[in-house]
Amino acid sequence: MKSKKFFATLMAVLFAFVTACKNSNYAVAKANETKTQLVRNIKKAMNDVLDTTEDPEVVFERAINSYQNEFPDYLNIAGLNVDDKEAIELPEFDINYVAPDFSQVMYDYQTDLEASLTSEQLQKYETLRSQDYNFDRYVTLNHSFYQDLNIDLKYNHATIPTNPIDPIMPLHPTIDSGGTTITRVAAAATAGIVAILSGAGLGETIITAFTSCISTMTVGLSASWIPFIGWALAVMLIVGALVALTVIIVENWAAISQKMEEIKTWFKEQFTLFSSLIDTYFGDAAAKGEESKVAKRVNAGGRTLEFIDTIITLDMAKSITDESRRNEKIWLMGHMGNPAKEKGKHWWICYAEVDEDFVVNNKLYDFGVCTYTWYNNKAKRMMALGSNRINGNYSLLVYDKTVDQGDLFGWNHYHLGEKKDDKVVRIEAPPYKRAHSLFGLLRIKGDGGYTTYPQKP
């Protein structure tokens, strides 16, 4: 009850602060500048009234909760990994937003953290830094934006790894009473995560940041260090590591998504005491990675259809054709790039299952949605009936052939049309310009002209 009253008081102060500023442009700007720090102070004050703990599992749980709350302060993931930014259709997307890279985020968090520490916490923070090589290196690299991986540290350390990219890290997060890392190190295990990240195509600088975050998590979860530095500081150290790890994961999602299960398995093997919490964290990080690829959402028929930015290869186009061949399957797509002009072609694909009635009843073409189905008559019927713009008027459909457009591969299709003098022409106004009703055989451009896939219907 005491914490609830305290929280209510803090919320009232925040509300009064924002309300008092809302009529002044300058004050609003200042409010926005200080909002993040004010919210962090509130969270920190709330932490102070929570029960004291020395249980690493409780510390980790609180760190994950805090990380989830604070992450949006450091990175806006809306449309982050969508190729064509100008075509994104998300209300929360800001086309002028420039995403900071991991080094900027790590610098910002480190600066915020150190500014928020009490004198007592700062003293313990420095003691930790002086006694642990990995933490000293983590802090030093954060402050230097990872521009020089061989940078001199603030303190001299007796135990230094042969290769700093493979940091000294205990197999399980336990540190002896003297504060130095125990001799039982996981050099082979650490080399394992480096190999996984290298296999994903990440460079040395990013891998160094990643392994440094792991070392800092190890310190924050140490049953020996928590009583000395206090659980609140331990939480803040882990939060910083989790924020940075997720920034690296999301900003390199195309590469890391292929290795995500391997990475999670490695973490669970090294942090066996926290297996369920590792699952929670990686579930959240993966969700953020997938969210960063969402380019468009359509609310229709009581459902939210998400369109994911996807690199379309010829093999994938063949797979789409195979899965729809001689059956009722319908694919939903959004913005489609021109394969004749783009080497790495990006389409927006929705993986939700829908039928013809859903397309027609919810007028999906009015949202600029594209469909693919095997049958010509079905494609024609859906587009004629699935838009309020032409409202069942078949004569306003425009038929296009892939060969006429010069695409490297694609399907014949229909567009929504309109009357211009005595002709029917394709509607060029959005969202109708983006709507296609594709069907049938896949056409593939080669040296000798176009072939079809499959060769026979």
Side-chain angles (χ1 to χ4, degrees), residues 339-351:
K341 298 179 180 178
E342 299 177 26
K343 183 177 179 181
K345 180 180 179 184
H346 290 253
W347 289 358
W348 300 351
I349 294 184
C350 176
Y351 295 91

Side-chain angles (χ1 to χ4, degrees), residues 365 379-386 390 397 414-416 436-437:
Y365 299 108
K380 188 174 184 179
R381 183 172 60 246
M382 283 196 303
M383 177 153 268
L385 301 174
I390 68 172
L397 291 177
Y414 294 97
H415 297 287
L416 293 166
H436 299 70
S437 184

Side-chain angles (χ1 to χ4, degrees), residues 29 68 77 105 157 159 165 218 235 256 282 334 370-371 419 427:
Q68 290 174 331
I77 63 175
V105 170
H157 299 272
T159 308
I165 200 172
T218 300
V235 165
I256 288 182
F282 277 100
C370 305
T371 58
K419 275 279 193 177
I427 299 174

Side-chain angles (χ1 to χ4, degrees), residues 233-246:
L233 179 54
V235 165
M236 289 187 276
L237 295 181
I238 298 169
V239 168
L242 295 179
V243 167
L245 287 174
T246 306

